[in-house]
């Protein structure tokens, strides 16, 4: 497992940060409860966010560093993209974080328009628990789809063996693990499968939450990672940083160019080398880049375009917008060590334009 060995030090670095829900003020690591008091004007030095578990290790580091430099506290709940969107919709958090852009139904549920600011790019890896296998396994789109459809049931299935010549695969049941909560990681994974498998597209489809044909559900990247580690023969999808942090095996994926690609900063960066639309809503899955990892995705911070609502003050809003501006600029320096791909210049430019559109009582927040 050369890929894991090369990333071991990075895994140690994030082991503490990724294992707890972050409060950048250096609290106990317990998950803060979202309530309306967090957004009262009397607490202008605390920003509350919720959502993506995909982002949590990176956010942990970013918010801790920002607190050291500015004193601003950021309490972030790693509850999944779906939960972050729900809490943004109910206005119990200042920002949501999601690995999937808002869909039409979610947009229509908001009281006013929200904007998407790209904050990072990462990989969703196919992780498995085969204790006696030391080689890095290869997966093709067809094999991966058939595993998660339940059509391939054994690890020594001829279709798996054909793409892993020389590997002694066990006669062991495949135990699929998947997310049970609404998840942007699931959206990236199922969007990929929908693009590469007609059977998956017609039988399951894509989304942050789907009706899984087989398998057991776990909450968050943490839940799926735990399920895989505790289940011999287990296979599931988790964010790269979680796989590294937990010392998990993960495979190479065949991309559209026919190459077996190891998920890494370089291969995610290659996948993200595309045009970013003005609204920042774009998918990186099944990239045509020859060296791109095909199950890659952007993640976004979501905020309301008009920020004067409830008891919010102009001071608090300005602090939040400047925090996000720092995240997409100086904060990117912390990405590589945690196995996230730094944003492309095109993504940063779109993020800057989105932030400049944010208003408070109709006036631009950033001057």
């Amino acid at each position: 497992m050369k890929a894991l060995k090369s990333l071991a030090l990075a895994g140690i670095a994030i082991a503490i940060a990724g294992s707890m829900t972050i409060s950048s003020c250096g609290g106990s690591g317990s998950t803060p409860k979202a309530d309306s008091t967090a957004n009262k004007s009397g607490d202008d030095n605390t920003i509350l966010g919720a959502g993506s578990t995909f982002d949590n290790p990176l956010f942990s580091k970013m918010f801790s560093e920002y607190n050291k430099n500015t004193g601003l506290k950021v309490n972030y709940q790693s509850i999944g993209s779906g939960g972050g969107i729900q809490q943004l919709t109910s206005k119990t958090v200042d920002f949501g974080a999601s690995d999937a852009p808002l869909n039409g139904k979610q947009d229509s549920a908001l009281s006013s328009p929200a904007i998407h600011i790209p904050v990072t790019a990462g990989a969703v890896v196919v992780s498995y628990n085969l204790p006696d296998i030391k080689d890095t396994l290869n997966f093709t789109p067809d094999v991966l789809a058939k595993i998660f459809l339940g059509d391939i049931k054994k690890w020594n299935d001829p279709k798996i063996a054909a793409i892993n010549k020389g590997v002694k695969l066990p006669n062991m049941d495949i135990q699929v693990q998947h997310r049970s909560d609404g998840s942007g990681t699931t959206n990236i994974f199922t969007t990929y499968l929908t693009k590469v498998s007609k059977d998956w597209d017609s039988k399951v489809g894509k989304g942050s939450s789907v009706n899984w044909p087989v398998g057991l559900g776990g909450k968050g990247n943490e839940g799926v990672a735990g399920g895989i580690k505790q289940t011999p023969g287990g296979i599931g999808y988790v964010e790269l940083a979680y796989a590294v942090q937990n010392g998990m095996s993960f495979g190479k994926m065949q991309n559209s160019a026919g190459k077996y690609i190891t998920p890494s900063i370089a291969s995610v960066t290659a996948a993200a080398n595309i045009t970013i639309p003005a609204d920042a809503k774009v998918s990186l899955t099944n990239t045509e880049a020859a060296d791109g990892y095909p199950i890659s995705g952007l993640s976004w911070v979501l905020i309301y375009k008009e920020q004067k609502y409830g008891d919010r003050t102009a001071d608090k809003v300005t602090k939040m917008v400047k925090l996000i501006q720092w995240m997409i600029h100086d904060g990117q320096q912390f990405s590589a060590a945690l196995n996230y791909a730094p944003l492309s210049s095109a993504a940063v430019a779109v993020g800057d334009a989105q932030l400049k559109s944010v208003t408070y009582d109709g006036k631009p927040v950033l001057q």
Side-chain angles (χ1 to χ4, degrees):
M1 303 301 299
K2 294 181 179 179
L4 288 177
K5 290 179 180 178
S6 65
L7 294 172
L9 292 178
I12 293 170
I14 66 174
I16 297 176
S19 66
M20 63 183 179
T21 300
I22 183 67
S23 169
S24 69
C25 53
S28 64
S30 59
T31 303
K33 300 297 183 182
D35 59 66
S36 58
T37 60
N39 287 319
K40 296 295 184 182
S41 59
D43 191 18
D44 284 358
N45 207 47
T46 298
I47 305 298
L48 185 63
S52 168
T53 61
F54 180 104
D55 293 334
N56 193 42
L58 179 60
F59 281 6
S60 298
K61 179 63 174 177
M62 283 183 170
F63 297 153
S64 176
E65 293 297 324
Y66 198 75
N67 173 254
K68 292 176 186 177
N69 295 331
T70 68
L72 185 70
K73 302 173 184 177
V74 185
N75 291 333
Y76 183 70
Q77 304 172 63
S78 175
I79 60 174
S81 298
I85 291 170
Q86 289 176 355
Q87 292 199 12
L88 180 72
T89 302
S90 63
K91 296 183 174 178
T92 53
V93 293
D94 298 298
F95 69 88
S98 177
D99 315 321
L102 295 172
N103 58 36
K105 184 177 180 180
Q106 291 166 334
D107 273 323
S108 63
L110 300 176
S111 59
S112 63
I115 62 172
H116 297 64
I117 303 101
V119 287
T120 192
V124 177
V125 305
V126 179
S127 182
Y128 49 87
N129 181 356
L130 295 172
D132 295 330
I133 301 296
K134 305 304 179 185
D135 303 271
T136 300
L137 294 184
N138 293 326
F139 294 93
T140 63
D142 180 64
V143 164
L144 188 66
K146 281 182 166 58
I147 288 173
F148 279 83
L149 283 168
D151 296 336
I152 294 178
K153 304 178 185 298
K154 293 281 189 178
W155 276 105
N156 63 346
D157 186 282
K159 291 184 175 64
I160 301 177
I163 57 175
N164 290 280
K165 296 186 184 303
V167 179
K168 189 175 181 180
L169 295 164
N171 181 20
M172 181 184 291
D173 289 340
I174 294 174
Q175 306 286 348
V176 170
Q177 310 287 319
H178 58 74
R179 291 286 286 269
S180 60
D181 53 325
S183 157
T185 306
T186 296
N187 186 76
I188 293 171
F189 188 70
T190 59
T191 296
Y192 170 73
L193 290 178
T194 298
K195 288 181 178 180
V196 300
S197 168
K198 290 182 179 179
D199 280 349
W200 184 272
D201 187 25
S202 63
K203 295 177 181 178
V204 184
K206 64 182 180 180
S208 298
S209 181
V210 299
N211 292 320
W212 294 94
V214 292
L216 296 175
K219 187 174 182 181
N221 277 293
E222 303 95 328
V224 175
I228 296 168
K229 289 198 74 174
Q230 295 165 18
T231 309
I235 186 172
Y237 59 95
V238 293
E239 199 278 321
L240 174 61
Y242 280 91
V244 174
Q245 171 194 331
N246 287 282
M248 302 171 73
S249 301
F250 52 86
K252 296 180 180 180
M253 275 303 306
Q254 186 185 52
N255 67 8
S256 60
K259 294 183 177 181
Y260 289 98
I261 304 294
T262 300
S264 66
I265 295 167
S267 60
V268 174
T269 299
N273 187 24
I274 60 174
T275 301
I276 309 294
D279 64 3
K281 295 182 178 182
V282 66
S283 174
L284 306 181
T285 55
N286 201 33
T287 177
E288 294 182 357
D291 296 319
Y293 179 70
I295 319 180
S296 299
L298 287 174
S299 193
W300 297 265
V301 160
L302 312 175
I303 61 174
Y304 286 100
K305 187 173 183 179
E306 171 53 55
Q307 283 285 309
K308 188 177 182 182
Y309 57 87
D311 294 319
R312 297 169 67 75
T313 67
D315 179 56
K316 179 169 188 170
V317 169
T318 300
K319 288 177 178 177
M320 180 187 71
V321 173
K322 287 185 175 180
L323 163 69
I324 300 170
Q325 186 180 47
W326 177 89
M327 290 169 70
I328 69 174
H329 286 277
D330 292 354
Q332 293 297 302
Q333 67 184 289
F334 304 110
S335 300
L338 300 179
N339 301 298
Y340 295 85
L343 291 175
S344 66
S345 58
V348 173
V350 169
D352 279 333
Q354 291 281 65
L355 287 173
K356 288 177 182 177
S357 74
V358 178
T359 58
Y360 184 86
D361 198 18
K363 299 177 181 178
V365 174
L366 295 178
Q367 303 296 327

